[in-house]
Amino acid sequence: MVINKVRKVNEKEEISVKNEAASDRMIGKWVKCESCGEILYKEEVHQNLSVCPSCGKHFRLSSRRRIEQIADRNTFKEIASDILTKDPLNFAGYLNKVKALKEKTNLQEAVTCGICKIDGEQCVLAVMDGNFLMGSMGSAVGERITIAVETAIENKLPLIIFCVSGGARMQEGMVSLMQMAKTASAIKKLQDEGILYISVLTDPTTGGVTASFASLGDIILAEPDALIGFAGPRVIEQTIKQELPPEFQKSEFLLEHGFIDKIVERKEMKHTIGKLLKYHKPVKGSECK
Amino acid sequence: MKSAWERVEIARQADRPKTLDYIEKVFDDFIELHGDRSYGDDKAIIGGIAVLEGIPITVIGEQKGKNAKENIERNFGMPEPEGYRKALRLMKQAEKFNRPIITFIDTPGAYPGMGAEERGQGEAIARNIMEMSGLKVPIICVVIGEGSSGGALAIGVGDRIVMLENSIYSILSPEGFASILYKDSSKAKEAAENMKITAKDLQKLGIVDHIIKEQNNENQIDFEKVIVTLKSYIRKTIKELQKLDKDDLLKARYEKYRKIY
């Protein structure tokens, strides 16, 4: 019984991935807002940080656009770009699928990491991308995130991770599950070093990513109306045999239940992070002896 | 050689020994401790202090039932956040009093309910995984039946990961895997063979350190023999780990997961 529902969830995710890819590829000049139904001029949507000018709906963002929005111009230097997908299960068709996705999305994997400046403050920035296998975490994503964390530790730089993920990547089996332990262990080291980690949850952040580094920020921010949870809504509906209220597992719901620090609109995101980075700079003479 | 699917079926047998059976047979004088000090006491996770040849040990495990009544009481071994938080509280207590930690893993997964989400199932699992990586006492995790998903990993980060010969450890159930990747849940058997979820496969992948033989040709576990082997393995390994200084223990634990790529 659970299984049928899992399949439905998957179908729905696939459809949303297609929508997302379509909206990001900008076929035609017009797009319909999935939230308010308004017909929008695409260029205007992009100018507006991919937020609906009519209702404020935050559309899903590619990692490329996210980095453009968050990092100071021309400061982003990618790291760990040589870390590529592995196939520990020798899973039929997996590497071919990845190859096709690479060509289609122009991405190498579901996360891009680098060192950059935000409002003039140097930091390590990791940005996940939902267009690449739903931002799922396999060995390459886990390794890239871990390298980002270790780079932050080595250079004593704050770390910011923008999360978007369907969870651990099924095609790599237990190796994917172990990336949760690997990334969370690295975050533990970062914490012990007293380095700031800001986690930003965007639509959707679920499964093994929620249950590892995404939930471990010193400060956890979220975009409005993002789906954030461990179990997927359909699996829960099947388990409890009733429909979930529309606000369930949304950013606002998590804020109310005490699991995130602040909901930040996209137009305020860079400034908010910049401010937090400044608040965490060491102040000379302000420490106890 | 048993197929992976045969092992799935064995791992899920209702009358297969559960966490409480192991606690009773491997250790002496178990005192169960309850509650997460925040919300409640989750009966899907058992924790407390027991003695192994004179040494106090913190013991934690996911508890499935052997019949319908027990399963309802234990929520089929599917913990809620307060179960994981109770486990973390007891593990921190173990660290404070320098007790080694043994965990027993046997769960179809963390409970996917409304309350569990409201109370931060993802956060609870994430925190356990992170904190376990830094606990300054030896941790041995033993998969005794079904280890599934983050719900298993939440008490599964340690210095040694041990699996019983016919236990399984997977990213999600073969049924779930088949329905997502093959779009057909009836292909669970095929999925099980491809997912690398057996003790042997996971040892080859460097995820599992040691396999405990179940000492039989039938599909029934020889529990008495398993207890003898497991007990001697735990005793020997704790001694081995206690020889390390705390920094080296944590460095080795970090490296153990760091190299999985």
Side-chain angles (χ1 to χ4, degrees):
Chain A
M1 281 188 311
V2 173
I3 294 132
N4 288 336
K5 283 293 174 182
V6 171
R7 185 187 301 155
K8 272 188 194 161
V9 171
N10 192 51
E11 279 169 5
K12 201 170 172 182
E13 279 179 357
E14 274 195 354
I15 291 162
S16 64
V17 167
K18 276 178 198 155
N19 286 344
E20 185 182 359
S23 73
D24 222 43
R25 271 185 282 125
M26 299 180 60
I27 300 162
K29 286 184 175 171
W30 300 90
V31 63
K32 188 176 173 185
C33 173
E34 65 206 71
S35 180
C36 68
E38 193 82 9
I39 306 293
L40 306 165
Y41 187 52
K42 270 185 179 168
E43 199 41 49
E44 193 190 356
V45 173
H46 289 317
Q47 292 296 326
N48 198 40
L49 308 172
S50 299
V51 174
C52 174
S54 170
C55 72
K57 166 85 185 168
H58 284 50
F59 300 120
R60 292 178 182 181
L61 212 55
S62 67
S63 48
R64 185 180 61 81
R65 283 186 192 278
R66 179 83 65 188
I67 292 166
E68 274 173 19
Q69 288 184 16
I70 294 298
D72 293 351
R73 188 180 273 267
N74 295 329
T75 63
F76 187 82
K77 302 238 166 6
E78 191 173 354
I79 55 168
S81 58
D82 56 330
I83 302 298
L84 301 172
T85 317
K86 288 194 174 179
D87 184 16
L89 302 189
N90 299 318
F91 193 76
Y94 176 46
L95 288 182
N96 282 337
K97 195 171 180 177
V98 166
K99 193 171 166 235
L101 262 173
K102 279 177 160 181
E103 282 163 19
K104 191 174 140 194
T105 61
N106 215 8
L107 294 165
Q108 293 301 304
E109 251 294 347
V111 68
T112 303
C113 307
I115 298 179
C116 70
K117 285 186 175 176
I118 297 176
D119 270 358
E121 302 299 330
Q122 185 99 349
C123 62
V124 175
L125 174 66
V127 179
M128 301 185 81
D129 196 315
N131 293 311
F132 200 98
L133 287 169
M134 263 322 285
S136 57
M137 174 162 65
S139 57
V141 169
E143 185 70 17
R144 284 176 174 219
I145 293 277
T146 306
I147 290 173
V149 179
E150 289 175 343
T151 305
I153 295 172
E154 278 160 30
N155 298 285
K156 298 199 186 314
L157 289 175
L159 170 71
I160 293 123
I161 305 181
F162 277 82
C163 304
V164 50
S165 181
R169 188 172 297 170
M170 296 302 147
Q171 290 91 337
E172 295 183 33
M174 279 295 286
V175 173
S176 295
L177 195 76
M178 291 300 129
Q179 303 308 312
M180 294 166 64
K182 185 165 92 180
T183 54
S185 302
I187 296 289
K188 170 75 181 155
K189 268 191 156 183
L190 185 86
Q191 291 212 343
D192 291 347
E193 294 289 327
I195 293 170
L196 173 69
Y197 165 36
I198 300 172
S199 167
V200 188
L201 312 182
T202 73
D203 187 52
T205 300
T206 59
V209 166
T210 299
S212 61
F213 60 87
S215 296
L216 296 172
D218 296 299
I219 294 171
I220 303 178
L221 306 177
E223 287 198 324
D225 198 39
L227 177 78
I228 302 161
F230 177 62
R234 296 300 171 286
V235 177
I236 301 169
E237 284 183 340
Q238 175 59 28
T239 307
I240 62 172
K241 297 188 173 54
Q242 65 186 70
E243 249 183 68
L244 294 169
E247 72 278 8
F248 191 70
Q249 293 183 310
K250 291 300 177 72
S251 314
E252 295 72 16
F253 177 91
L254 268 91
L255 182 72
E256 198 167 308
H257 285 83
F259 288 100
I260 54 179
D261 288 284
K262 193 173 169 60
I263 294 172
V264 181
E265 286 189 28
R266 206 167 276 165
K267 63 178 191 294
E268 294 295 331
M269 189 61 84
K270 178 175 171 141
H271 182 58
T272 304
I273 292 174
K275 213 149 100 177
L276 287 169
L277 290 175
K278 288 190 174 73
Y279 287 172
H280 288 82
K281 280 171 87 167
V283 181
K284 270 187 187 166
S286 72
E287 285 168 32
C288 287
K289 278 175 189 162
Chain B
M1 252 302 264
K2 289 189 182 69
S3 70
W5 181 253
E6 282 172 307
R7 293 189 206 274
V8 171
E9 289 184 317
I10 296 171
R12 289 174 177 170
Q13 279 168 354
D15 58 354
R16 188 174 167 88
K18 310 289 182 226
T19 289
L20 272 174
D21 301 309
Y22 284 90
I23 293 179
E24 194 183 308
K25 294 282 184 188
V26 175
F27 307 96
D28 298 318
D29 284 336
F30 176 60
I31 301 176
E32 188 177 354
L33 302 171
H34 294 273
D36 69 345
R37 299 293 190 270
S38 168
Y39 181 83
D41 182 47
D42 185 355
K43 292 184 172 56
I45 288 195
I46 282 175
I49 308 168
V51 173
L52 181 72
E53 295 182 347
I55 309 168
I57 310 269
T58 289
V59 186
I60 289 160
E62 285 147 338
Q63 179 68 27
K64 283 186 181 178
K66 291 187 178 177
N67 52 48
K69 187 171 165 268
E70 280 180 21
N71 264 321
I72 289 165
E73 186 193 345
R74 301 291 180 185
N75 199 24
F76 297 84
M78 294 185 285
E80 307 234 14
E82 38 290 0
Y84 294 123
R85 293 185 181 125
K86 168 169 72 177
L88 182 58
R89 179 176 79 81
L90 297 177
M91 290 191 282
K92 289 272 191 184
Q93 184 188 77
E95 184 183 45
K96 175 175 177 183
F97 297 104
N98 239 322
R99 281 194 290 269
I101 298 166
I102 311 294
T103 71
F104 293 103
I105 295 168
D106 192 13
T107 180
Y111 185 62
M114 263 179 101
E117 291 291 319
E118 278 171 3
R119 299 191 298 279
Q121 188 73 284
E123 190 273 347
I125 296 171
R127 188 152 309 277
N128 275 27
I129 295 170
M130 179 179 80
E131 294 291 352
M132 286 184 90
S133 77
L135 290 171
K136 297 183 183 81
V137 289
I139 307 172
I140 303 171
C141 309
V142 189
V143 186
I144 56 173
E146 191 180 16
S148 194
S149 175
L153 187 64
I155 57 164
V157 176
D159 305 299
R160 297 286 186 276
I161 310 304
V162 182
M163 280 181 79
L164 261 67
E165 187 183 359
N166 291 323
S167 67
I168 54 158
Y169 198 175
S170 61
I171 186 165
L172 88 170
S173 69
E175 291 85 348
F177 187 94
S179 72
I180 290 175
L181 289 182
Y182 305 142
K183 317 284 178 219
D184 182 357
S185 60
S186 68
K187 288 188 177 163
K189 278 186 192 179
E190 187 188 330
E193 305 309 319
N194 293 332
M195 285 170 74
K196 298 196 177 161
I197 58 177
T198 66
K200 231 180 187 163
D201 280 339
L202 292 169
Q203 194 173 37
K204 272 188 219 153
L205 284 175
I207 291 168
V208 162
D209 301 289
H210 186 75
I211 301 171
I212 304 278
K213 291 250 182 237
E214 296 195 10
Q215 317 267 6
N216 56 347
N217 297 316
E218 302 299 316
N219 286 346
Q220 279 297 327
I221 184 170
D222 187 335
F223 191 46
E224 295 304 322
K225 281 190 190 162
V226 163
I227 289 300
V228 173
T229 334
L230 181 60
K231 201 169 169 169
S232 105
Y233 174 82
I234 290 175
R235 194 176 44 215
K236 185 188 88 194
T237 309
I238 286 177
K239 274 193 186 141
E240 202 178 293
L241 293 169
Q242 279 175 333
K243 279 184 197 147
L244 298 171
D245 80 55
K246 286 175 180 177
D247 285 348
D248 290 341
L249 179 75
L250 293 190
K251 227 178 259 173
R253 194 183 300 157
Y254 186 80
E255 213 33 60
K256 178 178 164 53
Y257 291 94
R258 182 66 190 86
K259 67 176 199 286
I260 303 175
Y261 161 49

